[in-house]
């Protein structure tokens, strides 16, 4: 290779690295990332740690990265709840798991549970857990930002979610089995 061709190739490579650095540096430094440590929950209280969930703003909405284990395999209802607590509380005369977290995050007073595009702001895509009990997935909540959910609870329900209030309320997800506070 001639000396001038080598210099031109090197210069182009350095320019590409410099432009890549300029393109990505502001993006990564301006997007804060927050985390929730998720614990098993029951009517007796908050139990063992099951992993973490990270939250980050993006142009597409709130990006949610789950790193959870020891969950029952299959699809699970997954929601942001209105209060920052995972403690048990009383509802309808019974103590229940993470009831202190309140209902789904719904500041716009949506009249029904629905998809992440149509229902409560706290309605998230299904959390799919693999056969080994792990949920290491990335989901996007298109109508949320980190500022909306900071200080609230994120909840995993025992069952799936059909994104409707029929035949069971709130998608039929059932009991609350794991919860974390979004810091």
């Amino acid at each position: 290779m001639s000396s001038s061709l080598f210099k031109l190739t090197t210069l182009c490579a350095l320019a590409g690295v410099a432009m890549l650095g300029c393109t990505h540096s502001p993006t990564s430094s301006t997007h804060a990332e927050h985390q929730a440590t998720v614990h098993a929950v029951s009517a007796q209280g908050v139990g063992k740690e099951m992993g973490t969930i990270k939250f980050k703003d993006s142009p597409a909405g709130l990006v949610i990265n789950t790193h959870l284990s020891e969950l029952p395999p299959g699809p699970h209802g997954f929601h942001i709840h209105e209060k920052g607590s995972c403690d048990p509380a009383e509802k309808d005369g019974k103590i229940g798991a993470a009831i202190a977290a309140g209902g789904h995050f719904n500041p716009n007073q949506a009249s029904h549970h629905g998809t992440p595009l149509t229902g409560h702001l706290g309605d998230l895509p299904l959390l799919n857990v693999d056969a080994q009990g792990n949920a290491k997935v990335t989901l996007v909540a298109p109508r949320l930002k980190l500022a909306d959910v900071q200080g609230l609870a994120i909840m995993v329900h025992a069952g799936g979610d059909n994104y409707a209030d029929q035949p069971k309320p709130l998608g039929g997800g059932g009991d609350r089995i794991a919860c974390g506070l979004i810091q």
Side-chain angles (χ1 to χ4, degrees):
M1 183 178 337
S2 73
S3 168
S4 58
L5 182 59
F6 176 76
K7 288 178 186 175
L8 181 60
T9 303
T10 303
L11 181 60
C12 287
L14 289 173
V17 168
M19 285 192 291
L20 181 64
C22 292
T23 301
H24 292 297
S25 293
T27 302
S28 56
S29 66
T30 59
H31 289 288
E33 185 173 272
H34 291 266
Q35 180 171 297
T37 300
V38 176
H39 294 265
V41 291
S42 71
Q44 289 71 45
V46 177
K48 66 180 175 178
E49 185 176 323
M50 302 179 85
T52 60
I53 300 174
K54 293 182 180 179
F55 303 85
K56 188 174 185 178
D57 284 326
S58 81
L62 184 65
V63 176
I64 302 167
N65 290 304
T66 67
H67 302 279
L68 303 173
S69 60
E70 299 186 52
L71 288 165
H76 293 272
F78 194 45
H79 308 100
I80 303 291
H81 281 248
E82 64 187 342
K83 297 177 185 169
S85 177
C86 292
D87 292 332
E90 185 177 329
K91 182 178 179 184
D92 300 327
K94 291 194 252 180
I95 300 294
I99 297 298
H104 296 174
F105 179 58
N106 188 21
N108 298 340
Q109 303 303 311
S111 61
H112 65 282
H113 173 67
T115 72
L117 295 173
T118 65
H120 306 140
L121 284 180
D123 293 340
L124 301 176
L126 280 175
L127 179 67
N128 288 302
V129 178
D130 68 22
Q132 290 75 40
N134 299 310
K136 295 182 181 6
V137 298
T138 300
L139 307 167
V140 177
R143 299 184 297 159
L144 289 174
K145 293 183 234 163
L146 189 55
D148 298 329
V149 301
Q150 193 168 359
L152 303 181
I154 188 156
M155 195 75 60
V156 179
H157 291 267
D161 190 336
N162 69 1
Y163 300 114
D165 287 322
Q166 298 295 328
K168 293 183 178 180
L170 301 173
D175 292 339
R176 300 167 184 204
I177 62 169
C179 179
L181 302 180
I182 304 168
Q183 304 295 317

